[in-house]
Amino acid sequence: MEVRKVGVIGLGAMGAGIAQLCVEAGVDTLGREVTPELGEKARDRIGHFLTRKVEKGQLEQGARDEAVGLLSLTTELDDFADCDLVIEAIVEELEPKRELFAELDRTCRPEAVLATNTSALSVTEIAAATTRPERVVGMHFFNPAPLMPLVEIVRAELTADEPFETAFAFGERIGKTPIRCNDTPGFVVNRVLIPLLNDCIRVLDEARVTPEDLDLGMKNGAGWPMGPCTLVDLVGIDVHVHASEALYEKTREPRMAPPPRLVAMRNAGLLGRKSGRGFYRYDNV
Ligand code: CAA
């Protein structure tokens, strides 16, 4: 199916990044936030990153303005009735996602493909909230979405071939490298990355090293583009803890469980880059 109009629901860091990719690829995009102010904040964020591309000679000013012009905003789910593909990027909790998908099932046309950006929840359980689970897929982007090439296209238990391939083709169209995965806990990358990052955080205490030294170690000794503490700060400590808990619940593997140090940081409001403080301090919030 040809995707002429895409909807993105939830315009936080991930949703705004996904919407940015869509408009950069020339796709008419409707974004939804719960208030007009949050929608405008996301538009500003997208505008800012596109302006940086112009300043660095990676994008023409005209193309930037055209891309920004392709983004429209709403607070209403009814406005998604004419979208061919809707990508959900709201809070990473099962019940709110299921409620949203039940609502999308009522408002979107029958041929629409409904995608979730969940990183650790079951796409099948989200799809089960609709009367058309065969048209529900996972499209799992990585943070920061505009920069990370991968998108995992997740086939849930009842996903049909056509919507799955539509999502895969759309991933390619917006410049990503899609891979085909199944609805297993953590799909492919988080199944590996989450326990690995948890190991890194446990090593901090076991080896009594500083976050700076651990990060330098993994960057310079293992070729990681950024150290594990910087990465967990980027992902969001709340998001990482939540994903770890979800994977632990499903697999019962001890390495999946969030390290107590991260849980304590989350409880103290040290969420990483977005809160201004995690392993490191940030002044850009
Ligand atoms: N959105 C849009 N554009 C952005 C951006 C964002 N969030 N962040 C940065 N940019 C733009 C900026 O304009 C920036 O240029 P300026 O600083 O000149 O304005 C430009 O991208 C390049 O940024 P950097 O110089 O920081 O780029 P870099 O070469 O240092 O690479 C990186 C950055 C790609 C993030 C690299 O460090 C990297 O690959 N890190 C690892 C990230 C990773 O592993 N992510 C996966 C997390 S796990 C996950 O997401 C799964 C999950 O489910 C939780």
Side-chain angles (χ1 to χ4, degrees), residues 54-257:
V54 174
E55 287 165 356
K56 290 189 283 185
Q58 297 167 351
L59 190 68
E60 295 288 329
Q61 181 68 43
R64 179 228 175 257
D65 295 343
E66 218 168 281
V68 173
L70 284 171
L71 178 68
S72 42
L73 297 171
T74 183
T75 56
E76 302 299 326
L77 289 178
D78 286 346
D79 293 341
F80 289 84
D82 62 345
C83 287
D84 304 302
L85 167 68
V86 179
I87 305 173
E88 165 275 314
I90 66 166
V91 60
E92 188 66 353
E93 303 275 352
L94 185 60
E95 269 324 302
K97 286 194 195 285
R98 282 175 51 89
E99 279 167 27
L100 174 66
F101 273 73
E103 195 59 39
L104 289 173
D105 190 28
R106 278 188 284 278
T107 54
C108 294
R109 48 198 198 81
E111 316 79 61
V113 178
L114 306 181
T116 171
N117 178 50
T118 186
S119 54
L121 300 173
S122 157
V123 181
T124 305
E125 285 176 35
I126 296 169
T130 72
T131 59
R132 49 171 121 174
E134 66 286 352
R135 301 206 66 79
V136 178
V137 297
M139 286 186 81
H140 179 216
F141 291 84
F142 290 76
N143 195 347
L147 305 187
M148 297 300 288
L150 183 69
V151 56
E152 292 176 324
I153 308 297
V154 184
R155 184 190 283 277
E157 287 303 320
L158 298 175
T159 307
D161 289 344
E162 185 271 308
F164 185 73
E165 293 306 329
T166 296
F168 189 94
F170 189 74
E172 284 184 321
R173 182 170 159 203
I174 60 175
K176 296 285 125 178
T177 302
I179 60 169
R180 294 180 173 86
C181 328
N182 295 306
D183 191 22
T184 51
F187 316 131
V188 174
V189 172
N190 275 348
R191 170 67 184 81
V192 177
L193 189 59
I194 285 185
L196 189 53
L197 287 173
N198 285 343
D199 280 348
C200 289
I201 304 307
R202 289 190 182 100
V203 163
L204 269 183
D205 297 320
E206 281 168 29
R208 300 189 303 280
V209 291
T210 61
E212 288 83 356
D213 280 345
L214 177 64
D215 279 2
L216 281 172
M218 294 309 287
K219 269 178 78 168
N220 294 296
W224 286 25
M226 54 171 57
C229 298
T230 309
L231 181 54
V232 175
D233 271 1
L234 171 73
V235 166
I237 289 173
D238 53 338
V239 171
H240 180 84
V241 166
H242 196 275
S244 296
E245 283 167 344
L247 285 190
Y248 179 63
E249 199 181 300
K250 292 198 181 98
T251 63
R252 292 289 155 193
E253 282 185 34
R255 288 178 69 231
M256 298 292 180

Side-chain angles (χ1 to χ4, degrees), residues 11-34:
L11 299 174
M14 289 308 290
I18 296 166
Q20 177 184 327
L21 288 164
C22 295
V23 295
E24 277 192 88
V27 184
D28 200 5
T29 304
L30 176 64
R32 188 244 187 180
E33 255 305 342
V34 285

